[in-house]
Amino acid sequence: SDGSIRLHQMTSEYPLMEWNDSTNGRPVVALQWALTRPAVFFVLDASSNIYIWDLLENDLLPVVKQTFPSENVVTMSLLGEPEKPSGLLGIALAKESGQIDVQYVKKKWAVP
């Protein structure tokens, strides 16, 4: 609820990494690891901002922030085929109106 993100190892209750205020204090609505690239994850906050984290490029801050100001995005889901080397990765955004928007991620963050 405060925008903090914690990376845990299954064998410990203490986080390996912790990013406080990662969304400028906005609640995290959804977080999902990329299906095609293990070091990348996506975060959706309550203000319809999506943050892309690539831990191989920068483990302190997100590498991209994308804002969707026109309509409230209520959740997201990643689409991809991890068993295929194409690196195709999409993100489905569910909007408050009930509309679904599918966008494709740059290969830079999708290729295995």
Side-chain angles (χ1 to χ4, degrees):
S1 65
D2 63 359
S4 296
I5 299 171
R6 293 174 192 88
L7 176 64
H8 284 266
Q9 184 175 356
M10 297 298 288
T11 58
S12 174
E13 66 182 278
Y14 302 104
L16 294 172
M17 296 281 296
E18 185 170 354
W19 299 278
N20 294 315
D21 201 33
S22 64
T23 59
N24 294 323
R26 295 178 200 95
V28 172
V29 175
L31 187 150
Q32 190 171 354
W33 286 99
L35 302 170
T36 57
R37 189 174 172 99
V40 175
F41 65 93
F42 295 74
V43 176
L44 171 66
D45 74 15
S47 295
S48 299
N49 298 305
I50 293 181
Y51 305 83
I52 301 174
W53 291 75
D54 183 345
L55 299 179
L56 297 177
E57 187 175 325
N58 187 343
D59 64 357
L60 299 176
L61 299 168
V63 292
V64 172
K65 175 184 173 185
Q66 178 68 47
T67 303
F68 295 88
S70 61
E71 192 170 355
N72 191 24
V73 178
V74 294
T75 194
M76 69 173 184
S77 184
L78 296 178
L79 315 163
E81 298 176 297
E83 64 278 355
K84 293 189 177 176
S86 67
L88 188 62
L89 180 65
I91 184 168
L93 306 170
K95 298 181 178 181
E96 196 170 48
S97 67
Q99 185 179 24
I100 303 292
D101 186 18
V102 177
Q103 305 216 358
Y104 289 96
V105 176
K106 288 183 180 181
K107 285 204 180 261
K108 177 180 180 177
W109 297 298
V111 174

